[in-house]
Amino acid sequence: MNPVLGTVLLLIGSNVFMTFAWYAHLKELNAKPWIIAVLVSWGIAFFEYSLQVPANRLGFTRLSVAELKVMQEVITLSVFVPFSVFYLKEPLKLDYLWAGLCLVGAVFFMFRGKFAGA
């Protein structure tokens, strides 16, 4: 498998766990003491790190750290928006589109010329 594709897939999985670790307790554990939410979130974050660390190590074979970071941010927003709309029932906002367009610009500037001729 292509290392960049493998990195993207691992980061998507990592971000699903990360998003649940950071935000699911707002819905599921809101009535529980905060320490319970912290412990549950740490348990979920273990799986996030189990995917994120190999993703970055694999990605670093072909990508710079800056490219990995921009990729991470794009994937984070791509996972977070559906999570917030469908799981947390937050309203879909036009600001998500504007943020996404800014990330498209970031991707363009970070990766321009990277795969030209590939």
Side-chain angles (χ1 to χ4, degrees):
M1 176 183 292
N2 180 309
V4 176
L5 178 59
T7 299
V8 168
L9 294 174
L10 286 167
L11 286 176
I12 289 170
S14 167
N15 272 273
V16 169
F17 282 112
M18 178 195 69
T19 301
F20 272 91
W22 283 21
Y23 299 105
H25 64 86
L26 298 174
K27 179 178 179 181
E28 302 300 331
L29 301 172
N30 203 25
K32 302 284 185 193
W34 70 267
I35 191 68
I36 300 297
V38 167
L39 294 173
V40 169
S41 293
W42 278 353
I44 296 169
F46 169 80
F47 297 101
E48 183 257 330
Y49 271 79
S50 295
L51 296 174
Q52 180 268 335
V53 170
N56 283 335
R57 291 172 68 102
L58 178 62
F60 193 61
T61 65
R62 295 273 177 92
L63 303 169
S64 70
V65 173
E67 290 167 337
L68 283 168
K69 184 59 182 172
V70 168
M71 182 184 296
Q72 168 69 22
E73 295 305 325
V74 170
I75 292 169
T76 296
L77 188 61
S78 299
V79 169
F80 176 76
V81 170
F83 174 86
S84 67
V85 171
F86 296 114
Y87 186 78
L88 293 178
K89 307 296 185 206
E90 292 284 321
L92 185 61
K93 297 179 181 180
L94 195 55
D95 289 343
Y96 295 158
L97 172 65
W98 305 135
L101 290 174
C102 289
L103 286 173
V104 168
V107 169
F108 170 77
F109 287 112
M110 188 58 63
F111 289 94
R112 68 181 164 166
K114 178 74 174 185
F115 300 107

